[in-house]
Tab-separated table of all heavy atoms in Angstrom:
chain	number	residue	atom	x	y	z
L	1066	SER	N	-50.800	11.695	21.778
L	1066	SER	CA	-50.719	11.956	20.353
L	1066	SER	C	-51.262	13.349	20.046
L	1066	SER	O	-52.428	13.650	20.345
L	1066	SER	CB	-51.548	10.907	19.593
L	1066	SER	OG	-51.803	11.325	18.282
L	1067	VAL	N	-50.419	14.175	19.440
L	1067	VAL	CA	-50.849	15.519	19.054
L	1067	VAL	C	-51.999	15.427	18.053
L	1067	VAL	O	-52.984	16.158	18.143
L	1067	VAL	CB	-49.659	16.334	18.488
L	1067	VAL	CG1	-50.119	17.654	17.891
L	1067	VAL	CG2	-48.619	16.567	19.581
L	1068	TYR	N	-51.894	14.499	17.128
L	1068	TYR	CA	-52.937	14.339	16.116
L	1068	TYR	C	-54.271	13.922	16.744
L	1068	TYR	O	-55.315	14.510	16.461
L	1068	TYR	CB	-52.513	13.320	15.056
L	1068	TYR	CG	-53.584	13.063	14.027
L	1068	TYR	CD1	-53.862	14.014	13.048
L	1068	TYR	CD2	-54.324	11.890	14.048
L	1068	TYR	CE1	-54.866	13.795	12.117
L	1068	TYR	CE2	-55.326	11.661	13.117
L	1068	TYR	CZ	-55.589	12.622	12.146
L	1068	TYR	OH	-56.586	12.402	11.233
L	1069	ALA	N	-54.254	12.917	17.607
L	1069	ALA	CA	-55.487	12.473	18.261
L	1069	ALA	C	-56.069	13.598	19.118
L	1069	ALA	O	-57.287	13.795	19.157
L	1069	ALA	CB	-55.236	11.228	19.106
L	1070	GLY	N	-55.211	14.344	19.783
L	1070	GLY	CA	-55.668	15.481	20.577
L	1070	GLY	C	-56.308	16.556	19.720
L	1070	GLY	O	-57.320	17.154	20.100
L	1071	TRP	N	-55.728	16.803	18.550
L	1071	TRP	CA	-56.298	17.771	17.615
L	1071	TRP	C	-57.701	17.337	17.196
L	1071	TRP	O	-58.622	18.150	17.136
L	1071	TRP	CB	-55.380	17.918	16.394
L	1071	TRP	CG	-55.969	18.733	15.297
L	1071	TRP	CD1	-55.995	20.098	15.217
L	1071	TRP	CD2	-56.618	18.252	14.118
L	1071	TRP	NE1	-56.625	20.474	14.065
L	1071	TRP	CE2	-57.016	19.365	13.366
L	1071	TRP	CE3	-56.897	16.972	13.631
L	1071	TRP	CZ2	-57.676	19.250	12.150
L	1071	TRP	CZ3	-57.551	16.860	12.419
L	1071	TRP	CH2	-57.932	17.991	11.691
L	1072	ARG	N	-57.858	16.051	16.918
L	1072	ARG	CA	-59.174	15.542	16.495
L	1072	ARG	C	-60.218	15.739	17.596
L	1072	ARG	O	-61.333	16.178	17.332
L	1072	ARG	CB	-59.071	14.072	16.115
L	1072	ARG	CG	-58.307	13.899	14.802
L	1072	ARG	CD	-58.316	12.497	14.355
L	1072	ARG	NE	-59.720	12.069	14.241
L	1072	ARG	CZ	-60.125	11.054	13.531
L	1072	ARG	NH1	-59.259	10.344	12.869
L	1072	ARG	NH2	-61.386	10.716	13.482
L	1073	VAL	N	-59.868	15.420	18.837
L	1073	VAL	CA	-60.797	15.618	19.946
L	1073	VAL	C	-61.085	17.107	20.124
L	1073	VAL	O	-62.230	17.515	20.326
L	1073	VAL	CB	-60.252	15.006	21.251
L	1073	VAL	CG1	-61.113	15.386	22.443
L	1073	VAL	CG2	-60.153	13.499	21.127
L	1074	PHE	N	-60.048	17.921	20.029
L	1074	PHE	CA	-60.233	19.363	20.181
L	1074	PHE	C	-61.201	19.901	19.128
L	1074	PHE	O	-62.103	20.677	19.453
L	1074	PHE	CB	-58.887	20.101	20.084
L	1074	PHE	CG	-59.030	21.566	20.344
L	1074	PHE	CD1	-59.010	22.046	21.645
L	1074	PHE	CD2	-59.229	22.459	19.310
L	1074	PHE	CE1	-59.185	23.398	21.898
L	1074	PHE	CE2	-59.414	23.802	19.551
L	1074	PHE	CZ	-59.387	24.282	20.853
L	1075	GLN	N	-61.020	19.493	17.874
L	1075	GLN	CA	-61.906	19.970	16.811
L	1075	GLN	C	-63.343	19.527	17.056
L	1075	GLN	O	-64.288	20.272	16.802
L	1075	GLN	CB	-61.429	19.479	15.437
L	1075	GLN	CG	-60.066	19.998	15.023
L	1075	GLN	CD	-59.936	21.509	15.120
L	1075	GLN	OE1	-60.767	22.253	14.630
L	1075	GLN	NE2	-58.883	21.967	15.776
L	1076	ASP	N	-63.519	18.330	17.588
L	1076	ASP	CA	-64.853	17.784	17.821
L	1076	ASP	C	-65.531	18.399	19.045
L	1076	ASP	O	-66.723	18.698	19.013
L	1076	ASP	CB	-64.752	16.262	17.981
L	1076	ASP	CG	-66.099	15.594	18.168
L	1076	ASP	OD1	-67.071	16.000	17.493
L	1076	ASP	OD2	-66.183	14.668	18.988
L	1077	LYS	N	-64.794	18.587	20.129
L	1077	LYS	CA	-65.413	18.958	21.401
L	1077	LYS	C	-65.124	20.385	21.873
L	1077	LYS	O	-65.873	20.905	22.695
L	1077	LYS	CB	-64.956	17.997	22.512
L	1077	LYS	CG	-65.275	16.546	22.244
L	1077	LYS	CD	-66.759	16.311	22.262
L	1077	LYS	CE	-67.081	14.840	22.039
L	1077	LYS	NZ	-68.508	14.616	21.931
L	1078	CYS	N	-64.058	21.010	21.407
L	1078	CYS	CA	-63.621	22.270	22.001
L	1078	CYS	C	-63.602	23.458	21.035
L	1078	CYS	O	-63.734	24.604	21.464
L	1078	CYS	CB	-62.209	22.116	22.569
L	1078	CYS	SG	-61.969	20.664	23.594
L	1079	ALA	N	-63.401	23.191	19.760
L	1079	ALA	CA	-63.192	24.266	18.786
L	1079	ALA	C	-64.394	25.188	18.637
L	1079	ALA	O	-64.227	26.366	18.315
L	1079	ALA	CB	-62.808	23.683	17.433
L	1080	SER	N	-65.585	24.694	18.896
L	1080	SER	CA	-66.765	25.547	18.740
L	1080	SER	C	-66.729	26.739	19.702
L	1080	SER	O	-67.235	27.806	19.373
L	1080	SER	CB	-68.047	24.739	18.931
L	1080	SER	OG	-68.104	24.195	20.225
L	1081	CYS	N	-66.124	26.585	20.856
L	1081	CYS	CA	-65.999	27.700	21.806
L	1081	CYS	C	-64.628	28.370	21.747
L	1081	CYS	O	-64.531	29.587	21.834
L	1081	CYS	CB	-66.244	27.221	23.231
L	1081	CYS	SG	-67.947	26.753	23.556
L	1082	HIS	N	-63.566	27.572	21.634
L	1082	HIS	CA	-62.214	28.109	21.733
L	1082	HIS	C	-61.570	28.393	20.383
L	1082	HIS	O	-60.420	28.833	20.336
L	1082	HIS	CB	-61.324	27.154	22.532
L	1082	HIS	CG	-61.764	27.015	23.945
L	1082	HIS	ND1	-61.593	28.002	24.884
L	1082	HIS	CD2	-62.390	25.998	24.581
L	1082	HIS	CE1	-62.081	27.602	26.042
L	1082	HIS	NE2	-62.579	26.387	25.892
L	1083	GLY	N	-62.285	28.131	19.290
L	1083	GLY	CA	-61.760	28.364	17.953
L	1083	GLY	C	-60.948	27.183	17.466
L	1083	GLY	O	-60.397	26.431	18.275
L	1084	PRO	N	-60.864	26.998	16.145
L	1084	PRO	CA	-60.179	25.832	15.590
L	1084	PRO	C	-58.681	25.779	15.895
L	1084	PRO	O	-58.082	24.720	15.850
L	1084	PRO	CB	-60.438	25.944	14.092
L	1084	PRO	CG	-60.796	27.362	13.864
L	1084	PRO	CD	-61.429	27.861	15.117
L	1085	ALA	N	-58.080	26.910	16.227
L	1085	ALA	CA	-56.651	26.944	16.547
L	1085	ALA	C	-56.395	27.143	18.033
L	1085	ALA	O	-55.266	27.380	18.447
L	1085	ALA	CB	-55.962	28.050	15.750
L	1086	ALA	N	-57.447	27.071	18.851
L	1086	ALA	CA	-57.367	27.226	20.308
L	1086	ALA	C	-56.988	28.632	20.736
L	1086	ALA	O	-56.560	28.853	21.858
L	1086	ALA	CB	-56.415	26.200	20.932
L	1087	THR	N	-57.179	29.608	19.843
L	1087	THR	CA	-56.795	30.989	20.150
L	1087	THR	C	-57.959	31.838	20.630
L	1087	THR	O	-57.812	33.044	20.786
L	1087	THR	CB	-56.130	31.644	18.928
L	1087	THR	OG1	-56.990	31.507	17.798
L	1087	THR	CG2	-54.780	31.010	18.638
L	1088	GLY	N	-59.103	31.224	20.876
L	1088	GLY	CA	-60.224	31.915	21.485
L	1088	GLY	C	-61.238	32.463	20.500
L	1088	GLY	O	-60.941	32.680	19.329
L	1089	THR	N	-62.438	32.645	21.012
L	1089	THR	CA	-63.551	33.259	20.284
L	1089	THR	C	-64.350	34.051	21.308
L	1089	THR	O	-63.983	34.102	22.486
L	1089	THR	CB	-64.479	32.195	19.643
L	1089	THR	OG1	-65.152	31.487	20.682
L	1089	THR	CG2	-63.724	31.227	18.748
L	1090	ALA	N	-65.473	34.583	20.877
L	1090	ALA	CA	-66.359	35.278	21.816
L	1090	ALA	C	-66.926	34.301	22.842
L	1090	ALA	O	-67.286	34.694	23.944
L	1090	ALA	CB	-67.485	35.972	21.053
L	1091	GLY	N	-66.987	33.012	22.505
L	1091	GLY	CA	-67.554	32.013	23.402
L	1091	GLY	C	-66.573	31.352	24.343
L	1091	GLY	O	-66.963	30.659	25.270
L	1092	GLY	N	-65.276	31.517	24.109
L	1092	GLY	CA	-64.275	30.876	24.959
L	1092	GLY	C	-62.919	31.526	24.784
L	1092	GLY	O	-62.594	32.011	23.704
Side-chain angles (χ1 to χ4, degrees):
S1066 164
V1067 172
Y1068 177 74
W1071 172 81
R1072 289 186 56 160
V1073 172
F1074 185 85
Q1075 297 308 310
D1076 183 40
K1077 302 293 182 185
C1078 312
S1080 62
C1081 291
H1082 296 287
T1087 53
T1089 68

